[in-house]
Amino acid sequence: MCPQDSIRSGGLEMTRAETKVQRSLARYGADRWGKEFLSVNDSGHLLFSMGDMPAVDLQALVLRIQKAGLSTPLVLRFTDVIADRMKRLRDAFFAACEATNYRGGFTGIYPIKVNSRSPILEAIVEVRARLGFGLEAGSKPELLLISAQQPVDGLPLLCNGFKDREFMRMAFHAAEIGHEVVIVLESLRELNRFLEVEEERQWHSRPSLGMRAKLYSKGAGKWETSGGELSKFGLTTVEMLEVIRRLERVGSVDRLTLLHFHIGSQITKIRPIKMAVREGAQLWGHLRSRVPTLRYLDLGGGIGIDYDGSHSSSSCSSNYSVEEYANQVVFEISEVCNEHGFIHPQILTESGRALVAHHAVTITDLRQVQGQVLPVPEVSKEEHRIISELRSTLASVAENNYEEYFHDAVDFRDEALQLFSRGYLSLDDRAAAEALFHRIRLRCQEIDDQVPSGSAELTGYLRQARVKYLANFSIFQSIPDFWSINQIFPAAPLRGHDGEPNYPVQIVDITCDSDGRVDAFAHPDGNLTELPLHRAAHEESPSEGYLAFFLTGAYQDALGNLHNMFGRCHEIILRRHRESDPKDGDDALFPDDDFHVSARPGMSNSQVLAQMGYDEDTMRASIVARSTEQATSLGAEWALTALAGYPYLQR
Ligand code: PLP
């Protein structure tokens, strides 16, 4: 899509343009959080590429998608990136096993809850036999979905989560279909349910059993309460021994094949991982000496993503790589096993975030600006004293006095508003006072940005009063974790990286909710509260000012909600061409040399309403009847088109 030779790489002699590009990327931290997948072309546009995939000019791509009829906001899914990430995890474990002479082997598992959208599962299913990945479910629909996939010998299908009898039956059914199913017990009650369901009929194939252990070791980061003795998950040691006793009693202890633990998602430090693996390996070895059929040690998920590029233990980063994770895990397990003479277990990991976070880029367009500087209105011939005071403050505000003058300006502005309330100031005077105060604030902001010598309070106030750009999306739908758990995502505009984007703006979304704003962008040197853009950007046609949020591929799709009735966005799926791609009747959105580009349209207005429990047909019929009855100017046909429209802002 974009010739590789136009990609900038750090040459020996850096041209001025290259320095500009690097400075621009550094402003957003993209030189660090995006170093594996972002670069910039000669036009100053961002290029996305991972592994050996051809680089994509994101700005050009979005314009093509727009031309093909789908507008922003949208999610770009580079699904080959998922296979690339799966391969990286597998290769890291294979290399670690080889280096330590580890004999147990490794199998990856994809936990479907991390992103259950169909293009993601399709991408995983396409390569899982080749790359050796099993699947994991934590609910009944998830289990139905993964058991409907083609079984692959030697690749387990794990059942986690809390299970009732119906869930157990589904697991037995999946085993009969041909999957190697392991039901991971969360409680003793689940064991009883399992045994009852087993007795229900003559199943011709049965799942095996695993136990989720409640480790004492905890993770580190936002999800550390998933582990530790107070966690809501898993069996204590006494309970695990009771499971074994009960199974021995019914002659079924040989059904136990797996020991599992999971100490949380986005684990920021490697040390707690090592400690948990050590504890888990000891448990595994001791249990294995009682239950010879145990063969899997399932470490759960948790590999952290370096969202802010700091490669540190900050909550939006991780201080280790996938390779270091694999090395440490294999080393710890083999050390425990070798020391105590345990056989090496087959290692399973349920890392999801590490496989899918990178593949998705969420694109929105920046719209109208709040806080535009409008001309100061003409006032009465005899200018009011308060207006003259504001005018002279504006004329004399400077670096050495801006804090004091800003305080004066606030007093004058407040006095002007009080005078207006008491009837001593005209509407034009009030408007002039507001406009002059706005200019003084902008001037003080400029000075404070360059030489912040004012108080922290003033800097904070000026920051809040920044120019606001409206991003055409809903954070509740597209980056819900930002709102709910302060998960910070990296972002950057799609173009302008050959210039000096040094105009900090606030980004607010289009929901009618004051929480609907993005006031933190991941950055390695401390998150940004505003996004630096080009000052001229607000004069552009809005559809050209695109902003991308990166690393949005894990969890956001399922957690996104319909607050304000903004529905799921358009999805554009890009993958390299396959031999099997249809020649005629191609489902491609547009032809492209490098990628097969297809689209799954987002929710229409009527689909969103239907999701909220309104019957689409009744709604349609009632709108048509009322428009016809009232002979509305736009007519019934128009109303139907409006129902089929996209809830987000259109051009
Ligand atoms: N396995 C279990 C049991 C989980 O609860 C989770 C998520 O919290 C995962 C795997 C996936 O974790 P991650 O996406 O952090 O790799």
Side-chain angles (χ1 to χ4, degrees):
M1 203 168 256
C2 176
Q4 284 284 354
D5 60 7
S6 67
I7 301 172
R8 292 182 184 281
S9 59
L12 283 180
E13 268 190 37
M14 216 183 272
T15 65
R16 209 176 307 155
E18 279 165 333
T19 326
K20 261 192 182 166
V21 165
Q22 296 204 340
R23 271 210 305 267
S24 178
L25 288 179
R27 248 185 207 111
Y28 303 98
D31 54 337
R32 296 186 32 211
W33 51 254
K35 68 175 183 293
E36 280 183 273
F37 55 86
L38 278 187
S39 53
V40 172
N41 68 9
D42 291 336
S43 315
H45 295 181
L46 282 187
L47 300 177
F48 184 93
S49 168
M50 248 192 135
D52 57 359
M53 129 185 184
V56 179
D57 176 336
L58 294 176
Q59 167 86 11
L61 172 65
V62 173
L63 290 178
R64 281 179 88 185
I65 296 168
Q66 189 107 24
K67 224 169 157 188
L70 294 173
S71 55
T72 42
L74 47 88
V75 181
L76 301 176
R77 297 197 185 285
F78 296 97
T79 50
D80 292 335
V81 164
I82 300 173
D84 197 60
R85 301 287 303 174
M86 290 163 78
K87 184 171 175 309
R88 180 162 168 195
L89 182 69
R90 183 204 63 167
D91 289 352
F93 268 95
F94 281 7
C97 289
E98 202 175 311
T100 43
N101 201 17
Y102 189 82
R103 293 178 299 281
F106 165 78
T107 302
I109 304 284
Y110 177 62
I112 186 79
K113 75 167 170 205
V114 182
N115 195 325
S116 38
R117 297 286 308 153
S118 56
I120 287 81
L121 184 60
E122 281 160 24
I124 287 170
V125 165
E126 188 181 12
V127 295
R128 79 185 193 102
R130 177 164 57 84
L131 296 177
F133 274 73
L135 299 168
E136 183 255 17
S139 69
K140 286 180 270 192
E142 286 183 2
L143 178 52
L144 288 172
L145 174 61
I146 63 173
S147 55
Q149 309 305 314
Q150 178 70 34
V152 182
D153 278 351
L155 297 182
L157 189 154
L158 304 187
C159 300
N160 278 338
F162 299 101
K163 303 161 212 70
D164 60 7
R165 279 190 194 79
E166 193 64 0
F167 195 140
M168 294 289 178
R169 284 183 201 109
M170 286 179 188
F172 274 79
H173 179 252
E176 290 198 323
I177 289 174
H179 290 283
E180 183 197 322
V181 180
V182 186
I183 296 178
V184 183
L185 299 174
E186 279 282 356
S187 67
L188 286 169
R189 275 208 199 117
E190 281 186 4
L191 175 62
N192 295 342
R193 265 172 228 143
F194 169 82
L195 293 171
E196 282 160 20
V197 170
E198 188 171 42
E199 286 296 300
E200 279 177 2
R201 64 196 70 231
Q202 286 289 321
W203 304 96
H204 61 73
S205 204
R206 285 148 203 264
S208 67
L209 286 173
M211 295 186 288
R212 178 166 178 171
K214 202 188 274 291
L215 293 192
Y216 274 80
S217 312
K218 284 168 93 169
K222 290 185 202 297
W223 286 274
E224 63 184 41
T225 50
S226 303
E229 60 178 321
L230 299 179
S231 138
K232 74 176 196 186
F233 305 105
L235 299 156
T236 60
T237 320
V238 194
E239 288 169 329
M240 286 193 282
L241 293 178
E242 182 59 21
V243 168
I244 293 173
R245 244 190 310 273
R246 287 191 197 176
L247 284 171
E248 278 169 345
R249 219 180 299 139
V250 293
S252 296
V253 75
D254 59 352
R255 309 295 298 285
L256 273 175
T257 58
L258 177 147
L259 181 72
H260 168 54
F261 60 87
H262 169 77
I263 58 164
S265 192
Q266 183 62 18
I267 303 171
T268 57
K269 301 180 197 162
I270 191 72
R271 198 175 131 72
I273 296 175
K274 286 162 60 170
M275 309 229 323
V277 167
R278 201 153 247 281
E279 185 187 341
Q282 284 286 2
L283 262 181
W284 190 89
H286 287 284
L287 292 169
R288 171 70 172 63
S289 58
R290 295 195 184 189
V291 184
T293 46
L294 271 187
R295 52 187 282 233
Y296 297 122
L297 179 58
D298 171 3
L299 316 180
I303 297 181
I305 295 292
D306 192 9
Y307 289 98
D308 67 13
S310 65
H311 195 55
S312 71
S313 59
S314 91
S315 64
C316 293
S317 184
S318 64
N319 71 1
Y320 55 92
S321 64
V322 166
E323 287 72 20
E324 186 180 348
Y325 174 88
N327 287 339
Q328 297 292 353
V329 160
V330 174
F331 175 79
E332 294 296 336
I333 300 176
S334 45
E335 219 186 41
V336 169
C337 292
N338 296 347
E339 204 178 303
H340 298 278
F342 304 144
I343 70 150
H344 292 173
Q346 181 166 357
I347 299 171
L348 306 184
T349 65
E350 297 177 5
S351 274
R353 189 187 293 272
L355 303 185
V356 298
H358 291 78
H359 89 279
V361 183
T362 299
I363 312 266
T364 164
D365 55 289
L366 297 176
R367 299 246 159 177
Q368 79 207 38
V369 187
Q370 282 179 12
Q372 264 166 318
V373 188
L374 294 173
V376 180
E378 292 286 321
V379 290
S380 46
K381 269 180 237 122
E382 286 235 343
E383 186 169 86
H384 194 284
R385 173 192 56 85
I386 205 77
I387 309 291
S388 309
E389 296 277 22
L390 280 164
R391 212 181 278 289
S392 86
T393 307
L394 176 61
S396 35
V397 68
E399 203 181 306
N400 59 351
N401 65 19
Y402 77 97
E403 186 166 13
E404 183 190 335
Y405 277 38
F406 186 72
H407 290 149
D408 291 346
V410 171
D411 290 345
F412 296 141
R413 191 263 327 256
D414 289 351
E415 194 182 336
L417 293 176
Q418 281 165 13
L419 286 169
F420 176 78
S421 298
R422 288 199 221 112
Y424 298 123
L425 214 60
S426 70
L427 185 66
D428 283 343
D429 284 337
R430 178 186 159 122
E434 275 179 9
L436 287 164
F437 178 75
H438 184 194
R439 277 153 205 258
I440 295 167
R441 194 174 62 201
L442 287 178
R443 181 73 196 107
C444 291
Q445 225 166 45
E446 266 171 27
I447 300 171
D448 196 65
D449 280 348
Q450 278 153 24
V451 273
S453 55
S455 65
E457 191 182 77
L458 176 64
T459 304
Y461 173 82
L462 292 173
R463 191 162 269 168
Q464 273 176 37
R466 287 230 185 269
V467 168
K468 291 180 179 51
Y469 275 28
L470 199 59
N472 183 19
F473 82 141
S474 154
I475 62 162
F476 305 95
Q477 170 60 228
S478 293
I479 45 170
D481 273 348
F482 175 77
W483 170 70
S484 57
I485 52 160
N486 299 328
Q487 163 69 56
I488 297 173
F489 293 91
L494 295 192
R495 63 181 206 151
H497 295 281
D498 49 353
E500 299 273 349
N502 54 11
Y503 186 53
V505 300
Q506 290 185 346
I507 301 292
V508 293
D509 75 1
I510 58 168
T511 61
C512 308
D513 194 316
S514 55
D515 278 359
R517 61 177 193 276
V518 193
D519 51 12
F521 300 88
H523 192 288
D525 304 327
N527 299 325
L528 304 172
T529 47
E530 295 94 25
L531 202 69
L533 294 176
H534 286 280
R535 188 181 259 282
H538 65 275
E539 281 151 21
E540 291 175 359
S541 124
S543 61
E544 284 180 61
Y546 294 114
L547 176 64
F549 289 86
F550 294 90
L551 300 170
T552 58
Y555 297 102
Q556 305 317 291
D557 287 281
L559 293 174
N561 63 61
L562 296 185
H563 181 35
N564 234 184
M565 294 210 186
F566 288 111
R568 186 169 39 71
C569 301
H570 300 314
E571 294 171 281
I572 311 298
I573 298 121
L574 294 101
R575 55 164 181 75
R576 272 163 287 183
H577 294 288
R578 311 275 192 265
E579 291 270 302
S580 56
D581 281 346
K583 298 278 179 284
D584 306 318
D586 197 351
D587 62 339
L589 185 65
F590 45 73
D592 186 84
D593 288 345
D594 293 323
F595 292 94
H596 180 273
V597 186
S598 60
R600 313 231 166 140
M603 288 169 113
S604 65
N605 294 323
S606 66
Q607 284 170 332
V608 173
L609 291 166
Q611 190 78 22
M612 288 294 178
Y614 301 95
D615 181 63
E616 276 187 85
D617 293 337
T618 316
M619 221 162 39
R620 222 172 271 129
S622 123
I623 286 183
V624 169
R626 280 169 209 270
S627 324
T628 316
E629 205 176 282
Q630 300 296 326
T632 55
S633 313
L634 291 167
E637 272 307 305
W638 174 86
L640 292 179
T641 324
L643 273 173
Y646 199 32
Y648 296 91
L649 302 181
Q650 303 296 292
R651 278 206 270 178

